Amino acid sequence: MESSKREKRKVGLIGCGAIGSEIAVAIDSSRVNAELVAVYDACRERAYTLVSRLNKRPMIADSIEALLASDTELIVEAASQQAVKDYARSIVEHGNDIMLMSVGALLDDTFYAELCSLLERHGRRLYLPTGAIAGIDAIRSVKHMLKEVTLTTTKHPRALTGAPFFKEHRVNLKGLKKARVIYNGYAREAVRLFPANVNVAAILSIAGIGADKTKVKIVADPRARRNIHEIHAKGEFGELYFKVSNVPSPSNPKTSYLAVLSAIECLSRACNGRVSIGT
Amino acid sequence: MESSKREKRKVGLIGCGAIGSEIAVAIDSSRVNAELVAVYDACRERAYTLVSRLNKRPMIADSIEALLASDTELIVEAASQQAVKDYARSIVEHGNDIMLMSVGALLDDTFYAELCSLLERHGRRLYLPTGAIAGIDAIRSVKHMLKEVTLTTTKHPRALTGAPFFKEHRVNLKGLKKARVIYNGYAREAVRLFPANVNVAAILSIAGIGADKTKVKIVADPRARRNIHEIHAKGEFGELYFKVSNVPSPSNPKTSYLAVLSAIECLSRACNGRVSIGT
């Protein structure tokens, strides 16, 4: 038992895009106490490109079934919400722990409840990284007392273009001279109108008071050089305010560097964690 | 194995003061998936007072040996740094996981390293709650890239009186008309001069770049109604800023409510944790 605890955990990866690749490289460079045994990507080409970069080459699975047939203990999803919906259940039923990047999929309450009961039944664990924000440790600690939680995301108009929100609302993004609140609502709706924000809004909702009570503001700021997430929370315990100014990931401008680093640290804790630092 | 994972964890408690009592009550009221099997306090009277408040009465151990002789799986320390130094090693050697409130004890690098190798040898886990601050999830994620981390603590002069710092420095606290930075240095020294701040400075140091590089500022503000902790962190990933305004714990004005809630949530995650929310 003691020695087994010291052994590297056998990890499988679903999704070989930018984030999946960063995680794979972190494992390959021994930054995580794990062994990447198998990878899967709907685009086999992408899986090949990733594996060719690694020193210890994992098996390339040509289906989820093949991935689950390998002797993995923990599967990392870095693909899409759809992949979570399609595969999470069988991953757990095959006796794997699971770490999700596409946390937004858990805003489907029925699906989340079903996944939780499967985890219970199979004695497995679900790991959800904090992602591109911070302070989920404190939010979880005060969740029973939260009177109000607001996520304010500020981006350059350029970074907002194309969001479904603009199909219903005419906003002259290019014409903006100064910062403007373009959306003010709740997480449940916000993630539909601004899918780029989904994981941040989802983890905050899940850790705190849920997607129907968590407020979300979207601000377009022509002077914004970075994506900024702010969280305000209040309750009997006092007040919390977090501000995170994110630099894009070197490997993928659409992802915050912090989101990638957070995933690697979350996996690291899941794979070793003799010392659990932080609530 | 599956069923065993669902069973309540058998917890022992060292320290039956305000924080220890809050944790015991949280377990007793089933907010934590644990069973409190034994408690110890150097002052036996205090242990009695606590146990008399509980529905499920734990055994009152009259020594650490007696506590460890009971069938605990996880020991919670809510006593003092000295208790950590005196007992943490034998707790782990007896095959227990351990959760520490007096995190400051780990700033003794030799002791911390020794404890870590014991955890490794015995396959046990050490849990360190975030405490009265927030964002340890993000700090851990970026620790390899941190260029700078500063903890600024603002308190009413009243809350600072008596700190060892004032033996060496004459400051007319009572005479302060507005906020004033009274200390600006590093965590290693700050925890000696302002022991009341030790756990906050310690967890931030341990999660990030260590006590010799983590900056600490202490501000006395006659208008301050709450204890405020601010954390600034910078690096290639971007910037983090956290501000926590803490209300005192209802049961102990010297402790932040958040510190108690954080400990209960940390224990809760350690005892159940099918779903690990946050990095």
Side-chain angles (χ1 to χ4, degrees):
Chain A
M1 148 129 178
E2 295 176 18
S3 65
S4 77
K5 286 223 176 187
R6 262 212 260 13
E7 272 168 20
K8 292 186 168 191
R9 285 196 86 183
K10 293 184 161 54
V11 169
L13 173 66
I14 298 177
C16 301
I19 296 182
S21 300
E22 295 258 13
I23 293 171
V25 168
I27 296 173
D28 199 50
S29 61
S30 304
R31 275 172 60 198
V32 177
N33 180 41
E35 179 193 350
L36 186 60
V37 296
V39 303
Y40 170 76
D41 195 294
C43 163
R44 200 175 164 80
E45 194 53 36
R46 216 160 25 187
Y48 272 114
T49 314
L50 166 57
V51 168
S52 64
R53 291 172 53 196
L54 305 175
N55 301 315
K56 300 174 218 91
R57 305 253 164 121
M59 178 258 272
I60 297 175
D62 47 22
S63 71
I64 289 295
E65 293 64 32
L67 182 76
L68 296 178
S70 66
D71 60 346
T72 53
E73 300 163 8
L74 191 163
I75 301 285
V76 175
E77 172 278 327
S80 66
Q81 286 193 41
Q82 195 52 54
V84 175
K85 294 284 182 82
D86 294 344
Y87 310 134
R89 282 168 290 220
S90 41
I91 288 169
V92 173
E93 283 163 344
H94 275 72
N96 289 280
D97 288 342
I98 181 167
M99 180 175 121
L100 301 181
M101 295 304 299
S102 310
V103 178
L106 304 181
L107 290 181
D108 174 338
D109 300 336
T110 322
F111 173 77
Y112 188 26
E114 200 188 328
L115 185 57
C116 287
S117 62
L118 277 176
L119 291 162
E120 200 54 60
R121 187 170 332 140
H122 296 274
R124 296 293 99 211
R125 271 182 96 112
L126 167 65
Y127 298 95
L128 307 176
T130 296
I133 53 174
I136 291 301
D137 50 357
I139 295 291
R140 255 173 40 237
S141 302
V142 301
K143 60 180 173 296
H144 304 298
M145 290 181 189
L146 281 170
K147 292 265 167 301
E148 198 182 324
V149 185
T150 308
L151 169 69
T152 305
T153 297
T154 303
K155 294 181 172 183
H156 190 282
R158 212 186 304 110
L160 291 163
T161 333
F165 172 84
F166 299 105
K167 295 198 186 99
E168 302 164 26
H169 306 78
R170 298 235 156 283
V171 181
N172 176 8
L173 284 175
K174 288 212 176 72
L176 281 183
K177 292 279 164 290
K178 55 184 183 56
R180 174 175 159 194
V181 177
I182 57 171
Y183 176 80
N184 198 341
Y186 289 89
R188 178 83 59 199
E189 175 189 65
V191 299
R192 188 171 55 74
L193 301 175
F194 300 92
N197 238 19
V198 64
N199 292 330
V200 166
I203 190 75
L204 180 60
S205 299
I206 291 166
I209 51 177
D212 298 312
K213 291 184 186 157
T214 301
K215 295 179 179 173
V216 173
K217 266 189 214 173
I218 306 284
V219 177
D221 183 352
R223 294 156 311 177
R225 287 214 195 72
R226 296 171 171 178
N227 291 348
I228 294 172
H229 297 296
E230 293 167 281
I231 295 170
H232 288 85
K234 278 185 200 172
E236 283 170 61
F237 58 90
E239 283 184 46
L240 303 172
Y241 171 69
F242 315 136
K243 182 177 182 180
V244 176
S245 310
N246 283 320
V247 170
S249 158
S251 66
N252 175 10
K254 282 188 170 174
T255 308
S256 298
Y257 205 173
L258 180 58
V260 177
L261 298 168
S262 180
I264 292 169
E265 175 62 18
C266 186
L267 181 62
S268 190
R269 182 177 185 161
C271 291
N272 185 345
R274 280 274 157 263
V275 184
S276 255
I277 301 172
T279 295
Chain B
M1 148 125 179
E2 293 175 19
S3 64
S4 78
K5 286 223 174 187
R6 256 208 268 15
E7 274 170 20
K8 292 187 168 190
R9 285 198 86 186
K10 293 185 160 52
V11 169
L13 174 67
I14 298 177
C16 300
I19 297 182
S21 300
E22 294 257 13
I23 294 171
V25 169
I27 295 173
D28 198 50
S29 61
S30 304
R31 276 171 59 196
V32 177
N33 180 41
E35 179 194 349
L36 187 60
V37 295
V39 302
Y40 170 75
D41 195 293
C43 163
R44 202 175 162 79
E45 195 52 36
R46 212 156 32 186
Y48 272 114
T49 315
L50 166 58
V51 168
S52 64
R53 292 172 52 196
L54 306 174
N55 300 314
K56 299 174 218 92
R57 306 251 164 123
M59 177 260 273
I60 296 175
D62 48 23
S63 71
I64 289 295
E65 294 65 32
L67 182 76
L68 296 178
S70 66
D71 61 344
T72 55
E73 300 164 7
L74 192 164
I75 302 286
V76 174
E77 172 278 326
S80 66
Q81 286 194 42
Q82 195 52 52
V84 175
K85 295 285 183 79
D86 294 343
Y87 309 133
R89 283 168 290 217
S90 41
I91 287 169
V92 173
E93 284 165 343
H94 275 73
N96 289 280
D97 288 343
I98 179 166
M99 180 175 122
L100 302 182
M101 295 304 299
S102 310
V103 178
L106 303 181
L107 290 181
D108 174 338
D109 299 336
T110 322
F111 173 77
Y112 187 28
E114 199 188 329
L115 185 57
C116 287
S117 63
L118 277 177
L119 291 162
E120 200 54 62
R121 188 171 332 141
H122 296 274
R124 297 292 97 211
R125 271 182 95 113
L126 167 64
Y127 298 95
L128 307 176
T130 295
I133 54 176
I136 290 301
D137 51 357
I139 295 290
R140 255 173 40 237
S141 302
V142 301
K143 61 180 173 294
H144 304 297
M145 293 183 185
L146 281 170
K147 293 264 167 300
E148 199 183 323
V149 185
T150 308
L151 169 69
T152 305
T153 297
T154 302
K155 294 181 172 182
H156 191 282
R158 212 185 305 110
L160 291 163
T161 335
F165 172 84
F166 299 104
K167 295 197 188 102
E168 302 164 28
H169 306 78
R170 298 236 155 284
V171 182
N172 175 6
L173 283 175
K174 289 213 177 68
L176 282 182
K177 292 278 163 294
K178 55 184 182 58
R180 173 173 159 197
V181 177
I182 56 171
Y183 176 79
N184 197 343
Y186 289 90
R188 177 83 58 199
E189 177 189 62
V191 299
R192 189 173 52 78
L193 301 175
F194 300 92
N197 237 19
V198 63
N199 291 330
V200 165
I203 191 74
L204 180 60
S205 299
I206 290 167
I209 51 177
D212 298 312
K213 291 182 185 158
T214 302
K215 295 179 178 173
V216 173
K217 263 189 217 175
I218 306 284
V219 178
D221 183 351
R223 293 155 314 176
R225 284 214 198 70
R226 296 171 172 178
N227 290 349
I228 294 172
H229 296 295
E230 293 167 282
I231 296 170
H232 289 85
K234 278 185 199 168
E236 281 171 62
F237 57 89
E239 283 184 46
L240 303 171
Y241 171 68
F242 315 136
K243 181 177 182 180
V244 176
S245 311
N246 282 320
V247 170
S249 159
S251 66
N252 175 9
K254 281 188 172 176
T255 308
S256 298
Y257 205 174
L258 179 58
V260 176
L261 298 168
S262 180
I264 292 168
E265 175 61 20
C266 185
L267 182 61
S268 191
R269 181 177 185 162
C271 291
N272 183 347
R274 280 276 156 259
V275 183
S276 256
I277 300 172
T279 294

